[in-house]
Amino acid sequence: MLIAGFPAGAWGTNCYLVAPAAGEECVIIDPGHQATEGVEEALKKHRLKPVAVVLTHGHIDHVASVVPVCGAHDVPAWIHPEDRYMMSDPEKALGRSIGMPLMGELTVGEPDDVKELTDGAALSLAGLDFSVSHAPGHTKGSVTFQMPESADVPSVFFSGDLLFAGSIGRTDLPGGDMDEMLESLARVCLPLDDSTVVLSGHGPQTTIGRERATNPYLREVAAGHGSGRPAPRRGM
């Protein structure tokens, strides 16, 4: 399996291209702010043909390049219905203006073909299998994507802004809720095998085992009580 990832734009949002191997079809995950050039470079480098864009949630730092990427390759975008409005109204999703200079660089709106994700859905795209889990807390429509373990690689978990190395996504923006975040961590993350590789929306990769042992939020939900946790990571 091939996973090509890079941080993009003002928020350093991780965009991933996933394919069975070089020279084959691929899925693009979270093409955010200023991700278009990086996507095209990765497609060319690995000789990939995109078949879909899938989105962990609707914040502008994860969806800003959806329209140009989908338009250039005539592919659909998949998003949870509770976050779909954010593609057309990013400022409402943040509860404030994100700034006119930045807004001037964005193509706000939906691509021509939008498909909606549901909890428990099984997506088969580009010869790959993704299981979808609705994981509200960061936004109402946050989801994660898990790929099953295979003979040569462990299970891979695209956590979006649910789980980071050492932290979690912020919950202070519209639609955020700490109680929902902790419930999602317990329901979605804790059952995963320790060997599961976590590829998050921001920051370095980690594993569920590492986060189970060191992440104060996973430790809290595993213990079933509060423990003086630090403030969540302050990304978008």
Side-chain angles (χ1 to χ4, degrees), residues 142-168:
S142 289
V143 301
T144 64
F145 303 103
Q146 185 184 5
M147 302 180 67
E149 180 180 4
S150 64
D152 57 339
V153 293
S155 176
V156 178
F157 180 62
F158 296 95
S159 64
D161 286 7
L162 172 65
L163 180 68
F164 301 135
S167 191
I168 59 173

Side-chain angles (χ1 to χ4, degrees), residues 161-230:
D161 286 7
L162 172 65
L163 180 68
F164 301 135
S167 191
I168 59 173
R170 62 191 295 177
T171 59
D172 60 330
L173 295 173
D177 185 291
M178 179 56 78
D179 289 338
E180 287 187 334
M181 177 69 84
L182 295 177
E183 191 279 331
S184 291
L185 290 169
R187 174 177 50 83
V188 177
C189 298
L190 284 183
L192 300 176
D193 290 342
D194 283 352
S195 61
T196 301
V197 175
V198 179
L199 298 179
S200 62
H202 301 269
Q205 78 174 50
T206 184
T207 65
I208 288 294
R210 184 179 301 140
E211 298 311 301
R212 198 191 309 276
T214 63
N215 188 305
Y217 299 92
L218 277 192
R219 289 169 61 88
E220 174 179 342
V221 296
H225 57 78
S227 58
R229 59 186 181 250

Side-chain angles (χ1 to χ4, degrees), residues 29-85:
I29 301 176
D30 287 356
H33 181 234
Q34 297 179 340
T36 305
E37 183 177 348
V39 167
E40 295 304 321
E41 290 177 353
L43 291 174
K44 182 177 180 180
K45 177 180 178 180
H46 300 290
R47 297 173 286 109
L48 301 174
K49 175 180 171 50
V51 297
V53 167
V54 297
L55 303 167
T56 61
H57 63 288
H59 280 160
I60 196 66
D61 60 325
H62 289 252
V63 307
S65 296
V66 169
V67 170
V69 168
C70 288
H73 300 282
D74 192 25
V75 299
W78 293 76
I79 191 168
H80 192 276
E82 291 198 64
D83 276 13
R84 182 170 177 172
Y85 75 95

